[in-house]
Amino acid sequence: MRKIILTTESGADLPTDLAEKHDVQVVPMHIVMDGKDYLDGSLPVKDLYDYYDRTKQIPSTTATNIHEYQHFFKKIKTDFPDCTIVHIGYTSKASSSFQNAVNAAEDFDDVMLIDALNVTGGLAAIVMYAVTLLEKKPTIEPAHLVEKIKSKVPKSRLAFVPGKLEFLRAGGRVSNAAYLGASLLKIKPRIDLMEGKLVSTKKYRGKMSSVTEKLMRDYLEQYNIDREKLYLIYSLGLDEKIKHRMGEIAKEAGFKHVSWIQAGAVISTHAGPGGFGIAGLEV
């Protein structure tokens, strides 16, 4: 039986325990800070926030490059010579990482690639869907597995609100005027992944506790999410009371399993501290 190895990028924010438990191989993306290049996952997220407090600049992020993908795929092929690699990648609309994987895969046989058109929990949801399929039917043909995963890509729904607009402003994603207006009115934008792109779809007003509840209820009303699994995403600094309340709402809505995902360094450079997001797969 030919072994299938699932792979993804660190931008999926797939918790280490899940990656290890289900043998998902994760290749790191990059953070550039103070002129130094760090692999995503190699430094505490708090260091990013400390850097911003010190410099009023956010770190930059860079994609996994072709050489790194070549090394990554080669190691897997060395460890499992007859395997097929199914790579579920970070949206190509926001990073060159997926295209780099495509270019690197040309040097290998049996590497199949899927553009998940999603990030963080939205990408993790697709990866875990693939895990479930593979564990239910280990003998599944790789082409059939890829077909089923691709069918779920447009059904993965991610929405989040940043904790602080300062990070969006520092990253050039909102103007100073928009930032000042939003800050005065206590407005937080809702960001959705739409066709692989981050799009501001709505604005909420109020404290983070009320904003997160509005987001959660709007999201569950808008999307018919499979009640088997929901992913709740937070960036470091989100109030524990908010996390508890979001878990309660998920339980009240009938979700059987709720997994919390901490945003890693790549995602945290966009969301800032104290952000909250939701991801799941539509039925």
Side-chain angles (χ1 to χ4, degrees), residues 42-62:
S42 69
L43 77 167
V45 172
K46 186 177 182 299
D47 287 2
L48 277 66
Y49 301 154
D50 291 343
Y51 174 77
Y52 174 77
D53 289 340
R54 188 175 77 251
T55 66
K56 299 307 175 189
Q57 297 179 343
I58 61 170
S60 59
T61 59
T62 58

Side-chain angles (χ1 to χ4, degrees), residues 119-137:
V119 303
T120 188
L123 174 51
I126 298 170
V127 172
M128 290 308 298
Y129 172 74
V131 163
T132 301
L133 289 176
L134 193 53
E135 291 181 350
K136 284 182 177 178
K137 191 176 181 181

Side-chain angles (χ1 to χ4, degrees), residues 206-224:
K207 295 180 179 179
M208 195 63 176
S209 56
S210 63
V211 166
T212 52
E213 186 152 342
K214 290 174 187 174
L215 170 63
M216 186 79 148
R217 296 196 184 283
D218 284 353
Y219 176 92
L220 294 177
E221 183 177 337
Q222 182 177 357
Y223 299 122
N224 183 22

